[in-house]
Amino acid sequence: MRKKFKKIDWLLVTIPVIGVFTVSLIFTTFPTRSHHYLSMVRSFLNQRFSFFYILVAIFFLCSSLYAAFSQYGEIKLGDPSDKPQYSNLHWGILVFTSTMSADIIFYSLCEWMMYAQEPFIKDKPNVLEWSLTYSLFHWGPIVWSFYIMLAVAFAYMLFVAKNKRQKFSEACRPLLGEYIDGIVGKVIDLIATFALIAATATTFSMSMPLLAAAVGKIFGIKNIRLLSLILIMIVVLIYLSFSVMGMKAMTWLSSLCYTFFIGLMAYILLFSGS
């Protein structure tokens, strides 16, 4: 047990935890002022860096296509004798339940309304068509290129280079070399950790209120805020438990969630009356 604790990078654990608790305390204590400043930051980033973000997205898309169709696409992410551990269907279900299922609850209903409120779309002659067009940028091949390049980098690191230290900085070692062992590696890992926390918080903040409202409607619970916190704790506990149990357990859970999702879609299609 002591050896396992010694292997933990406590700097990468404590700083994000302290940061999350600090930011949560500030947001809870000063909700109105926090919302004001966050809106200012978001407006500044949209106005100044939207074009840069699009360039980065196009770069990742082109990089994904090049990696797939060039000689690098022939590199097997594993030993020459390795066989796929799971079928394409299982991998597809794992990808679906890890990145899309929660977002569909929220975005499928009102994503176009969010885009319709943006200043650069409000001025267009047909707001509905433009807002739906930007939805394709969110769900089309460009956004998937971000996931693809990161997955390929990690797969190469783990199964080809045989580097078992699962840090984001380790995936950059072929480019940065020994700098990864110093402050540069720490900064990369901290940025990646905070990005993951922010992405998870965004998903929860958008999908959980809708889920809590539905559960509250079914069971007659009126305290939606408390119910949201309870549901978040349940979801985190479930996924944490299955992650510790390993890929087989996670595959089983993903298949179960996907089955329920297909059942829900079939119910809506056949019995919703629309």
Side-chain angles (χ1 to χ4, degrees):
M1 184 64 69
R2 290 183 180 179
K3 291 182 179 180
K4 291 183 178 180
F5 276 101
K6 288 182 179 180
K7 292 181 179 180
I8 297 176
D9 193 333
W10 291 106
L11 180 67
L12 297 180
V13 174
T14 54
I15 291 180
V17 170
I18 294 173
V20 168
F21 275 102
T22 303
V23 172
S24 300
L25 181 62
I26 294 174
F27 287 175
T28 304
T29 308
F30 308 102
T32 304
R33 192 173 299 178
S34 299
H35 181 269
H36 172 70
Y37 284 116
L38 286 175
S39 298
M40 290 178 57
V41 172
R42 182 176 183 273
S43 177
F44 173 78
L45 293 176
N46 280 343
Q47 292 177 7
R48 303 293 183 182
F49 293 98
S50 293
F51 185 72
F52 174 74
Y53 176 80
I54 293 175
L55 287 179
V56 171
I58 293 175
F59 170 77
F60 270 89
L61 176 63
C62 295
S63 300
S64 300
L65 294 174
Y66 176 75
F69 295 104
S70 68
Q71 68 271 22
Y72 299 107
E74 301 296 327
I75 299 175
K76 186 172 184 177
L77 298 176
D79 294 328
S81 59
D82 284 346
K83 299 289 181 65
Q85 188 174 1
Y86 300 100
S87 65
N88 291 336
L89 176 62
H90 273 121
W91 283 119
I93 291 174
L94 283 167
V95 171
F96 177 83
T97 53
S98 65
T99 60
M100 294 178 61
S101 53
D103 291 337
I104 286 176
I105 298 175
F106 178 85
Y107 281 113
S108 62
L109 299 174
C110 49
E111 183 177 17
W112 70 272
M113 290 186 283
M114 295 173 57
Y115 293 139
Q117 300 302 315
E118 298 292 343
F120 59 89
I121 292 183
K122 278 185 176 180
D123 300 332
K124 302 296 182 182
N126 194 326
V127 175
L128 177 60
E129 288 186 2
W130 276 96
S131 59
L132 291 175
T133 301
Y134 271 82
S135 297
L136 296 177
F137 181 83
H138 190 185
W139 297 100
I142 288 182
V143 69
W144 284 103
S145 62
F146 288 104
Y147 299 116
I148 291 172
M149 291 306 294
L150 186 61
V152 168
F154 264 88
Y156 185 89
M157 175 184 72
L158 293 173
F159 302 113
V160 179
K162 305 299 182 181
N163 186 343
K164 300 302 181 182
R165 289 181 289 184
Q166 298 185 27
K167 295 181 179 180
F168 286 88
S169 59
E170 290 296 332
C172 302
R173 186 173 290 278
L175 295 175
L176 301 178
E178 61 183 13
Y179 290 105
I180 293 302
D181 300 319
I183 188 64
V184 174
K186 299 293 185 184
V187 171
I188 293 173
D189 290 327
L190 285 173
I191 292 175
T193 301
F194 278 109
L196 287 172
I197 293 173
T200 304
T202 302
T203 298
F204 276 129
S205 65
M206 290 182 174
S207 60
M208 197 54 64
L210 289 176
L211 179 61
V215 174
K217 182 73 173 180
I218 295 173
F219 295 100
I221 302 174
K222 297 183 179 180
N223 193 337
I224 301 300
R225 180 176 295 182
L226 178 60
L227 180 59
S228 297
L229 291 175
I230 294 174
L231 289 174
I232 288 175
M233 293 173 63
I234 293 174
V235 170
V236 170
L237 180 62
I238 290 174
Y239 274 91
L240 180 61
S241 301
F242 276 86
S243 297
V244 172
M245 286 188 284
M247 279 298 297
K248 288 186 177 180
M250 187 61 70
T251 304
W252 180 86
L253 179 63
S254 299
S255 300
L256 180 64
C257 294
Y258 187 75
T259 301
F260 277 118
F261 177 78
I262 294 299
L264 176 62
M265 293 296 99
Y267 174 80
I268 293 174
L269 178 64
L270 298 175
F271 304 108
S272 65
S274 59

